[in-house]
Amino acid sequence: MILFKKKAELQNYLALQKTKEGAIGFVPTMGALHQGHIALVESSRKDNSITVCSIFVNPAQFNEAKDFENYPVTIGDDIYKLESAGCDVLYLPSVAEVYHGGTTGEDHYDLGYLETILEGKFRPGHFQGVCKVMSRLLDTVKPENLYLGQKDYQQCMVIAKLVEMKGMNGLINIVIHPTLRDPDGLAMSSRNLRLNIEEREKAPAIYQTLNKIKEDLGNTDLKTLKKNAERKLHDKGFRVDYIEIADAATLQLTNERNGKQKLVALAAAFLNDVRLIDNLLLNE
Ligand code: AMP
């Protein structure tokens, strides 16, 4: 694996490889890598001749300074995992390398409804930060295939919209990988490293709650399903930001079920100061 810290050097290398070989697959991450990230790398390796992974803890997408400061960094382990997985290139830029003009930059992305709900509502500015970094990374790597995790359901939709807004729709194919989970159902996440033993024991309740919504979908109205789910998490000691049910294709929130629509349940909740998110397709 070759490690690049400088954008220009990575671009030169990729331009050279592109003339020789086929497609570039790109896996953008914030590091503290786990098997969920590695699954994206493995998926990219199957479809592309070069797999590029980036590790960049993007200050622009943290709406709370403390969350940014506490974000886990395990770069030595990450390099080992990527190398073991056969990743070809690691891009590990500094903040200055990504944001020459500063992280607050002038660019604004019109995400419309998508930015007013769920993560957009509870983490103001978060998706602007995601778009800022992804726009720059896509311009640098210019991948044919982009690998994202379903774990960040709304983020996948935001990035798809960004790709469209950048006029890169026909150029970049987005591959969404199913969420990888620990054996007890907890969605793998870098933030899980911050859970203490007691919190880690409680954490799978989010997935259990989403599964209960799925199980009861046919015989309970959506409002009641959401209310019961929220109560269950609250009783377990979670501080719930939201539990919502939405149209899986548009993310339009809904309290009605028409029987034909594909639905997704999405949750975000804190255990003390660790915020966890998860989602589940209800009627695939
Ligand atoms: P992050 O480092 O958390 O920004 O995640 C980088 C990429 O990995 C994103 O596309 C995530 O959706 C994806 N990802 C994170 N956790 C998982 C997981 N448990 N399963 C599959 N993909 C994941």
Side-chain angles (χ1 to χ4, degrees):
M1 183 171 74
I2 311 179
L3 189 159
F4 291 93
K5 291 190 169 181
K6 297 287 174 203
K7 175 171 123 180
E9 287 171 16
L10 171 66
Q11 282 176 316
N12 286 342
Y13 174 80
L14 291 177
L16 212 74
Q17 296 303 310
K18 229 171 180 166
T19 54
K20 286 196 261 172
E21 303 190 43
I24 295 176
F26 181 36
V27 181
T29 81
M30 297 209 299
L33 301 182
H34 49 68
Q35 197 48 42
H37 297 112
I38 298 303
L40 302 189
V41 170
E42 285 168 352
S43 182
S44 169
R45 283 197 67 209
K46 286 196 193 109
D47 306 338
N48 302 279
S49 51
I50 305 175
T51 291
V52 179
C53 176
S54 64
I55 295 181
F56 180 65
V57 185
N58 173 31
Q61 74 183 69
F62 286 83
N63 52 319
E64 287 191 9
K66 233 175 109 191
D67 189 25
F68 176 58
E69 284 156 24
N70 292 333
Y71 200 82
V73 176
T74 60
I75 194 67
D77 277 3
D78 292 352
I79 290 173
Y80 177 76
K81 284 178 188 169
L82 288 174
E83 205 140 36
S84 307
C87 183
D88 302 293
V89 172
L90 168 59
Y91 181 41
L92 188 64
S94 64
V95 172
E97 193 64 19
V98 174
Y99 292 111
H100 296 288
T103 49
T104 49
E106 288 298 292
D107 40 341
H108 180 85
Y109 301 86
D110 185 7
L111 299 170
Y113 172 75
L114 258 186
E115 204 176 6
T116 64
I117 50 159
L118 308 168
E119 295 300 284
K121 177 175 169 189
F122 284 89
R123 302 187 64 191
H126 169 64
F127 285 131
Q128 289 300 316
V130 168
C131 286
K132 277 181 187 170
V133 75
M134 281 308 298
S135 178
R136 286 157 175 82
L137 290 173
L138 292 177
D139 288 343
T140 301
V141 178
K142 296 191 172 58
E144 274 76 22
N145 294 303
L146 173 65
Y147 295 81
L148 305 172
Q150 190 201 315
K151 153 105 190 328
D152 296 279
Y153 198 96
Q154 192 176 8
Q155 175 171 277
C156 291
M157 296 182 78
V158 165
I159 294 173
K161 184 151 186 171
L162 172 73
V163 166
E164 189 189 310
M165 286 191 293
K166 284 173 74 68
M168 289 174 138
N169 237 356
L171 303 174
I172 300 181
N173 171 47
I174 297 181
V175 182
I176 298 180
H177 200 283
T179 305
L180 263 82
R181 301 180 179 280
D182 284 345
D184 61 7
L186 176 64
M188 291 181 185
S189 165
S190 307
R191 286 190 172 84
N192 295 352
L193 291 174
R194 295 189 48 221
L195 298 169
N196 65 29
I197 292 173
E198 199 188 323
E199 290 159 352
R200 177 62 190 79
E201 271 172 19
K202 288 180 179 173
I206 298 189
Y207 182 57
Q208 289 158 11
T209 304
L210 294 173
N211 261 311
K212 178 82 175 132
I213 292 178
K214 184 170 180 169
E215 257 172 57
D216 294 347
L217 188 67
N219 44 36
T220 316
D221 69 277
L222 301 191
K223 260 189 177 165
T224 309
L225 286 178
K226 289 191 286 187
K227 212 167 71 203
N228 291 345
E230 191 162 344
R231 188 177 316 122
K232 190 172 166 204
L233 286 183
H234 181 265
D235 291 349
K236 276 250 171 198
F238 286 82
R239 185 156 48 86
V240 178
D241 264 355
Y242 60 80
I243 294 192
E244 286 289 357
I245 297 174
D247 182 296
T250 63
L251 265 196
Q252 194 76 42
L253 305 184
T254 181
N255 283 322
E256 307 291 331
R257 187 166 178 251
N258 68 17
K260 290 187 207 133
Q261 218 176 1
K262 289 220 163 109
L263 297 173
V264 59
L266 308 105
F270 284 90
L271 274 171
N272 297 318
D273 66 342
V274 183
R275 188 172 184 275
L276 301 172
I277 63 170
D278 201 353
N279 65 79
L280 191 65
L281 289 163
L282 298 181
N283 46 356
E284 286 164 85

